[in-house]
Amino acid sequence: MSKSKLPVQLITSNTLPENHIRLGDRLMKSLRIPPDQPIILAFGSFRQEIRAVPGKKLKAIRISPSLSKSAGLLPGSVVNAAYYVAERTLKVGPVIGVMIGRYDPQEPQKPFGSISSFCMEMIHASRKLGAFVYFFTPDMIGPTISSLEGVWYDSGWKKGSVPAPDVINNRLATRKLENSPRVQHFMKEVKSRYNTPVFNEKFLDKSDVFEALGTDERLGRYLPESYLLKNYPTLKKMCASYPTVFLKPVRGSLGKGIIRISRQTDGTYHTLTTSLEGTKRKPYATLQKLYNGLSAKLMKERYQIQQGLNLIRNQKRNVDFRALVHKNQKGKWSVTSIVGRIAGGNHFVSNLARGGTLTTVKEALAGSSIPLNAKQQVPSRMEQAALEIAKGVESSIPFHFGELGIDLAVDTTGRIWLLEVNSKPSKSDNAPLNSDYKIRPSAMRLVQYAQYLTGLQ
């Protein structure tokens, strides 16, 4: 097998026979493609027998419009190519399918809702690196794989039939969509029929993450004491051990529904609950009455109870950090970015959806009271923690992940703690810290990892 980066260009059908392509002599030799002999052209799940015709100094692949339409190849696309001698197959791509929750053609400026800018960045990243990306929703999955539809960009968003992709990035934002029979059947089919990798294929439950990572002694230093809250004795034990504990919905996101329980000096307890309007405080005379007051919530939803931490603050507001880690072009975990998140004025959680703001790690640490030497070491130690936690998730949880959002915190001694691991980190339009970026680094990393998975890099 040999590889090269190739621009794909259309020519008129009356110049080139329908099932022929034309490549430069040097390109055909470097790819070891036999001239004027039948080979297979592969683009995603598309397969077509063709003949390759040499074109002297031609640096592009020329392909007839009819063959381009059948394959789904766009004029002017830049993709990578590899020729597999034993299979007589010229594979171009990779074709990356991004599974998302919504598409609305009536909103051309934001057809994908809050992630529309990111989707366009994926388009630019794929063109820069040599790949083809399209987006599809569960509604676009037909009764068979061959009836799949997708949305791509070609001087505007276009929708139509597409081949099954070489690799799938699952960006579905709800468990309901992810667990739907249509989606589950589709992922099973593309894996078994085409051996298609699907990464970030599953939401992570908080309880599963802490239970899995808790078996690794090296990661124990990052884990606050944490349990699935099943009964009153567990609540009593944790509240006796710590003056503050947190109850977090096992399947919650965006800081929704988190409850902070604080033991007061007079032996009473207060709860502080996050809501869209801010926080709601409620006093309880005893812990038993507090538990009874929460019983309705606990019957409807599972909660993780977690040790409260004495964390650093910035201008009297809670601070934590989001480390974004990706599998890179070599298939290894790497840290793409770490940003500080400062809680909004009427919230105790830092999520952007709850009024939090982004800042740099340096600025987030600037006003903290941790020792200077510890403050200087925190950034590199957070990178180390993020990488160790990502590797721990990969080794302990039997699903394929290529991107993780790892929420970390720093206490007043400089110790680093894990708060949460998110397998669907936010791609909303307000997420970038530096608005000057034309292509978000995470978009580049996702395309590079897809290229690694397919060998087309």
Side-chain angles (χ1 to χ4, degrees):
M1 182 193 77
S2 55
K3 293 181 290 185
S4 181
K5 193 172 183 179
L6 305 174
V8 177
Q9 181 181 356
L10 291 180
I11 67 169
T12 57
S13 59
N14 58 358
T15 305
L16 193 65
E18 181 177 343
N19 290 326
H20 286 60
I21 64 172
R22 180 171 284 130
L23 302 86
D25 289 331
R26 184 178 297 179
L27 203 50
M28 289 190 67
K29 289 179 181 178
S30 66
L31 289 173
R32 298 169 60 192
I33 297 176
D36 204 28
Q37 291 186 26
I39 63 173
I40 303 297
L41 174 67
F43 183 68
S45 63
F46 174 84
R47 299 289 187 278
Q48 175 70 49
E49 186 173 275
I50 62 167
R51 288 178 183 267
V53 179
K56 296 184 179 180
K57 294 183 179 181
L58 186 67
K59 295 182 179 180
I61 296 179
R62 294 187 180 272
I63 182 172
S64 71
S66 58
L67 182 57
S68 173
K69 184 177 180 180
S70 298
L73 285 164
L74 293 180
S77 297
V78 177
V79 294
N80 292 329
Y83 183 69
Y84 297 81
V85 177
E87 294 86 3
R88 297 185 303 106
T89 298
L90 174 63
K91 189 170 180 61
V92 294
V95 180
I96 305 169
V98 183
M99 187 158 45
I100 57 176
R102 60 164 289 185
Y103 169 67
D104 186 354
Q106 303 303 315
E107 297 184 26
Q109 298 304 314
K110 283 198 168 186
F112 309 109
S114 64
I115 64 168
S116 296
S117 293
F118 182 78
C119 292
M120 182 55 76
E121 291 169 37
M122 286 288 289
I123 295 290
H124 292 317
S126 66
R127 290 176 177 175
K128 184 173 183 176
L129 295 170
F132 180 77
V133 62
Y134 66 76
F135 306 88
F136 66 103
T137 68
D139 291 339
M140 297 179 193
I141 299 171
T144 64
I145 293 179
S146 60
S147 58
L148 180 66
E149 290 187 313
V151 179
W152 64 91
Y153 194 84
D154 181 22
S155 301
W157 294 105
K158 308 290 177 64
K159 179 183 177 184
S161 297
V162 290
D166 295 308
V167 59
I168 294 174
N169 177 15
N170 176 6
R171 282 295 316 172
L172 291 177
T174 69
R175 288 175 170 82
K176 183 178 180 180
L177 283 177
E178 185 172 87
N179 294 327
S180 66
R182 177 180 292 188
V183 169
Q184 290 298 313
H185 176 73
F186 173 76
M187 290 198 291
K188 181 179 179 181
E189 282 290 294
V190 293
K191 286 179 184 179
S192 62
R193 184 176 299 186
Y194 302 115
N195 200 29
T196 301
V198 181
F199 66 89
N200 285 50
E201 56 188 316
K202 183 183 184 298
F203 274 94
L204 290 171
D205 289 352
K206 294 178 179 66
S207 55
D208 293 341
V209 169
F210 277 82
E211 184 177 337
L213 298 183
T215 61
D216 189 332
E217 291 183 3
R218 297 170 301 174
L219 300 178
R221 56 182 169 160
Y222 302 126
L223 304 181
E225 189 171 358
S226 179
Y227 305 98
L228 186 63
L229 181 58
K230 296 181 179 180
N231 49 41
Y232 175 72
T234 302
L235 177 66
K236 184 178 180 180
K237 172 184 178 298
M238 288 291 285
C239 288
S241 301
Y242 306 103
T244 301
V245 299
F246 287 87
L247 303 188
K248 300 180 178 181
V250 166
R251 294 189 167 185
S253 61
L254 305 177
K256 181 181 178 181
I258 296 177
I259 303 169
R260 186 176 75 184
I261 301 175
S262 301
R263 186 176 70 243
Q264 307 301 303
T265 54
D266 61 0
T268 62
Y269 292 85
H270 286 179
T271 62
L272 208 58
T273 306
T274 58
S275 69
L276 289 174
E277 297 76 27
T279 55
K280 297 180 180 178
R281 181 183 299 272
K282 193 170 183 179
Y284 292 91
T286 66
L287 188 61
Q288 182 66 63
K289 289 184 177 180
L290 184 153
Y291 183 76
N292 294 341
L294 296 178
S295 60
K297 286 181 180 289
L298 299 178
M299 290 178 64
K300 293 178 181 179
E301 192 168 13
R302 291 187 303 154
Y303 280 80
Q304 186 84 353
I305 186 168
Q306 194 171 91
Q307 165 192 352
L309 302 168
N310 188 20
L311 302 181
I312 62 171
R313 294 167 69 82
N314 188 300
Q315 296 181 352
K316 299 183 179 181
R317 296 182 180 183
N318 290 346
V319 174
D320 64 24
F321 301 86
R322 162 61 62 91
L324 195 58
V325 295
H326 291 88
K327 286 289 190 72
N328 60 21
Q329 63 268 36
K330 296 181 180 180
K332 305 295 184 182
W333 285 110
S334 61
V335 176
T336 301
S337 64
I338 303 180
V339 296
R341 303 188 302 183
I342 301 176
N346 60 342
H347 287 275
F348 61 83
V349 295
S350 62
N351 303 73
L352 301 187
R354 305 289 163 194
T357 56
L358 294 179
T359 186
T360 64
V361 173
K362 183 178 180 179
E363 289 172 347
L365 293 171
S368 68
S369 59
I370 59 176
L372 179 60
N373 63 332
K375 189 179 297 186
Q376 293 171 337
Q377 296 170 2
V378 162
S380 61
R381 290 198 291 112
M382 279 200 291
E383 285 197 19
Q384 178 185 352
L387 290 175
E388 290 179 358
I389 291 164
K391 292 173 184 177
V393 169
E394 181 178 37
S395 63
S396 304
I397 299 177
F399 291 93
H400 185 175
F401 301 102
E403 175 185 46
L404 294 171
I406 299 176
D407 293 344
L408 302 171
V410 180
D411 69 18
T412 52
T413 69
R415 181 174 176 178
I416 293 171
W417 298 87
L418 171 66
L419 299 180
E420 186 176 346
V421 179
N422 193 328
S423 63
K424 307 293 177 73
S426 173
K427 302 298 178 194
S428 60
D429 293 347
N430 64 352
L433 184 58
N434 187 343
S435 59
D436 293 334
Y437 286 146
K438 292 184 179 180
I439 304 177
R440 217 171 304 189
S442 59
M444 298 289 285
R445 302 293 181 271
L446 291 170
V447 174
Q448 288 170 334
Y449 184 50
Q451 290 177 319
Y452 165 79
L453 290 173
T454 60
L456 290 167
Q457 56 188 148

